[in-house]
Each structure stands twice: as structure tokens, then as C-alpha cells.
């Protein structure tokens, strides 16, 4: 089957997609967007989180055909500006030291960016709830929480990065 959808603001097409092929596979292997990670393939870890029509989902659980005619935003699409420029939440993760091995980072970034888009001044409980579907095996999560707080504070202060 052929799947036509928009990824990070650009029209995309994937040909010869197998019925059971996941959106994650199409993004990584067919479209060359390796940011979303393939970890558990069961929707338990959040490493493959993308936004599908504005809603965070585990791309490993979405059949590629379900993306037909829809909008997908991956971690690569968070910084939709100048090439090499980072989104504010991405810069905050770096500045707060929230990136360790990096495997969970793409899913955390997409989830955190979505939270901040809907809740510009999140409480710690809001942050924890928004990131609850994302597992990190390297940290105690405190630096990740710091990064989201930093991104929110910078946005409130009117800073882009």
C-alpha cells in the first residue's frame, strides 16, 4: 500500500508498505528519520514518541496506514527553524544536563514540548504526568525535570533559547 502523510511540515509518501508495518519503521527506515528510537516495540518505554495530529503517541504501536492523510511531528521536527538550530526544549535539555545515553531523549523531548505547548507554566505534577510514559534507565529523572522547568522559565521570560 502507499501511505501519504505530512511529516515535520513536509508532504511524504511511502510505497509498498506492508499492512503490519509500524509508523516507527516507516519513519526510521523509509524516510530516514532516526530520531525516534526503537526500543520495546510494545508502547511501554516512550522512546518512539511522536505527535500524530498533535497528540503524543508511541509510533511503534501505530500502523503506518493509520497515518494516511495525517500530520506527524518527530523529534527532528521540533526545531523547524534554521538548520542546526535547536528548539528551546532541546537546548534546555542540554543546558540542564538531562541527556545521558540519549536513547530515551527523543521521546522525552516530544512529550515535554507537547506539555509546554499546552501548559506553559507546568507544575512538577504536570511535568511528571506528561513524562510518565517515558522511561529512562540512566537518570533519576531530576535533571529531566530541571530541563522542562528551565524551558518553561525561559519561555515565560521571553527567551527563545
Amino acid at each position: 500500500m502507499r501511505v501519504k502523510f505530512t511529516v515535520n511540515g513536509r508532504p511524504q509518501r511511502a510505497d509498498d508498505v506492508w499492512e503490519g508495518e509500524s509508523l516507527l519503521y516507516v519513519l526510521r527506515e523509509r524516510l530516514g528519520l532516526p530520531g525516534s528510537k526503537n526500543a520495546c516495540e510494545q508502547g511501554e518505554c516512550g522512546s518512539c514518541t511522536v505527535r500524530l495530529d498533535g497528540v503524543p503517541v508511541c509510533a511503534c504501536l501505530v500502523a503506518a496506514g493509520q497515518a494516511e492523510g495525517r500530520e506527524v511531528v518527530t523529534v527532528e521536527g521540533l526545531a523547524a527553524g534554521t538548520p542546526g538550530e535547536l528548539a528551546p526544549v532541546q537546548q534546555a535539555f542540554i543546558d540542564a544536563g538531562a541527556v545521558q545515553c540519549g536513547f530515551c531523549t527523543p521521546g522525552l523531548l516530544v512529550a515535554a514540548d507537547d506539555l509546554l505547548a499546552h501548559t506553559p507554566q507546568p507544575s512538577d505534577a504536570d511535568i511528571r504526568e506528561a513524562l510518565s510514559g517515558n522511561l529512562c534507565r540512566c537518570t533519576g529523572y531530576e535533571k529531566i525535570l530541571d530541563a522542562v522547568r528551565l524551558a518553561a522559565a525561559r519561555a515565560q521570560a521571553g527567551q527563545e533559547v
Side-chain angles (χ1 to χ4, degrees):
M1 97 177 97
R2 172 178 289 158
V3 180
K4 293 181 183 179
F5 55 115
T6 302
V7 180
N8 301 330
R10 296 183 180 180
Q12 296 287 347
R13 181 178 94 188
D15 293 319
D16 300 320
V17 174
W18 171 64
E19 293 173 1
E21 203 165 303
S22 72
L23 176 59
L24 177 62
Y25 184 87
V26 169
L27 292 170
R28 289 180 56 81
E29 306 302 328
R30 293 177 179 270
L31 301 181
L33 296 169
S36 303
K37 302 302 182 213
N38 185 2
C40 73
E41 294 185 350
Q42 296 177 7
E44 295 292 328
C45 71
S47 293
C48 65
T49 302
V50 299
R51 282 198 300 257
L52 181 62
D53 289 340
V55 177
V57 299
C58 291
C60 71
L61 297 180
V62 176
Q66 291 178 286
E68 177 69 34
R70 298 174 79 181
E71 173 90 22
V72 176
V73 177
T74 68
V75 68
E76 290 94 343
L78 295 182
T82 307
E85 186 177 305
L86 297 176
V89 72
Q90 291 170 317
Q91 188 62 54
F93 264 63
I94 292 169
D95 295 344
V99 178
Q100 288 194 20
C101 86
F103 210 80
C104 66
T105 306
L108 285 164
L109 286 167
V110 171
D113 187 71
D114 183 69
L115 168 67
L116 295 173
H118 294 95
T119 310
Q121 297 177 15
S123 66
D124 282 357
D126 293 332
I127 297 169
R128 290 177 190 278
E129 176 64 27
L131 303 183
S132 65
N134 299 79
L135 299 178
C136 177
R137 292 182 175 99
C138 296
T139 71
Y141 294 96
E142 197 56 42
K143 291 199 181 281
I144 294 167
L145 298 173
D146 290 344
V148 178
R149 291 183 201 114
L150 178 60
R154 286 177 175 170
Q156 186 176 12
Q159 299 175 9
E160 283 298 314
V161 177

